[in-house]
Amino acid sequence: MTQITAMLVMFVLYGVLPVAGLYLGYRGIKKVTAPKMLEYKAMPQLGYIPEKSLPEAVKISLAQINQKGEKLRVIYGDTNNDGKIDDTDTVTETYIMIQNLMDKHIPQAVADYRRLHDLEGARADNTKIKNSDVTGKEALLEVLGTINTQFDDLLDASYHQDGQKLLVTNRYLQQRFDNPSSDVEMLHSTSIHSSDNVNIDNSKG
């Protein structure tokens, strides 16, 4: 082993490896000790917020909205039913409203509450807001409750709309299958008329 090679080996063993080990150890500790963030697929804008910074009731309400929002995005966004939302779909007013609620209004409401909580601490959960009968926490829950109810109404409307389509399809099929003889008679009658016309034309000839 040459002197240069030996120096390189020593540099790697006593320089690079210890530094790399310290860095990886630091990253590992930081990852383990880092607070768990909110994870809502339909509302990724909330991903920067630590879970422990919100009351349990708020997190439950957000989880419900997230679940319903995912369904509604597909129902009102995938207008051509190809399994994805893209430029080939028709943009509807309802879809835009759903997106605005999840992308803007909900994150803004949560941010307003957290700012109250950061400034006033427990007062945001216990003290009534001036000229109102609710605390900061209750005000946020009311906002989320209103959105939750709106999402329920949209899901309900979609259910009944699609259900009506199924009923119409079923009635149509029943009429077709319950009266097969009428279809046969219609075809037979058409065949007879066609045959008569051919005979008349031949007699003229």
Side-chain angles (χ1 to χ4, degrees):
M1 180 183 296
T2 64
Q3 185 176 0
I4 294 178
T5 304
M7 291 176 62
L8 287 174
V9 171
M10 295 292 287
F11 175 73
V12 170
L13 290 175
Y14 297 102
V16 176
L17 290 180
V19 171
L22 288 173
Y23 174 74
L24 292 174
Y26 167 76
R27 291 291 300 273
I29 293 173
K30 188 176 180 181
K31 185 174 182 180
V32 171
T33 58
K36 187 177 181 182
M37 301 298 182
L38 296 176
E39 291 185 27
Y40 298 119
K41 185 177 179 181
M43 298 178 289
Q45 292 84 353
L46 298 177
Y48 73 96
I49 300 175
E51 280 190 2
K52 65 180 181 180
S53 68
L54 294 179
E56 193 62 29
V58 171
K59 289 187 286 187
I60 291 174
S61 187
L62 286 173
Q64 293 172 345
I65 291 173
N66 176 70
Q67 184 181 28
K68 296 169 187 176
E70 285 191 70
K71 294 179 181 178
L72 289 170
R73 284 183 70 252
V74 174
I75 292 172
Y76 291 96
D78 183 19
T79 56
N80 59 6
N81 296 317
D82 64 352
K84 57 184 178 180
I85 302 173
D86 52 29
D87 293 339
T88 62
D89 294 299
T90 303
V91 178
T92 65
E93 185 177 344
T94 302
Y95 179 75
I96 294 174
M97 179 196 71
I98 293 168
Q99 283 296 98
N100 283 337
L101 285 172
M102 293 189 296
D103 292 347
K104 298 178 183 177
H105 298 295
I106 294 175
Q108 184 60 56
V110 173
D112 289 342
Y113 165 78
R114 292 186 71 236
R115 188 162 50 251
L116 278 177
H117 194 276
D118 290 343
L119 291 172
E120 300 294 340
R123 289 188 64 185
D125 296 343
N126 303 318
T127 305
K128 304 289 185 183
I129 299 171
K130 189 176 181 180
N131 299 326
S132 78
D133 193 38
V134 295
T135 64
K137 173 184 173 182
E138 291 169 342
L140 174 59
L141 286 172
E142 285 187 359
V143 171
L144 299 179
T146 299
I147 295 172
N148 230 329
T149 300
Q150 180 66 32
F151 279 10
D152 283 335
D153 291 342
L154 289 173
L155 288 170
D156 190 56
S158 174
Y159 169 80
H160 290 294
Q161 183 178 3
D162 290 341
Q164 288 297 326
K165 292 178 182 178
L166 288 173
L167 293 177
V168 170
T169 300
N170 187 47
R171 284 195 293 268
Y172 169 77
L173 292 174
Q174 284 181 340
Q175 290 175 357
R176 297 288 294 178
F177 292 131
D178 288 346
N179 301 299
S181 58
S182 62
D183 294 338
V184 173
E185 290 174 0
M186 185 179 295
L187 289 172
H188 182 64
S189 174
T190 303
S191 177
I192 291 174
H193 285 307
S194 298
S195 177
D196 290 343
N197 289 336
V198 170
N199 291 333
I200 291 173
D201 290 339
N202 288 338
S203 64
K204 287 181 178 180

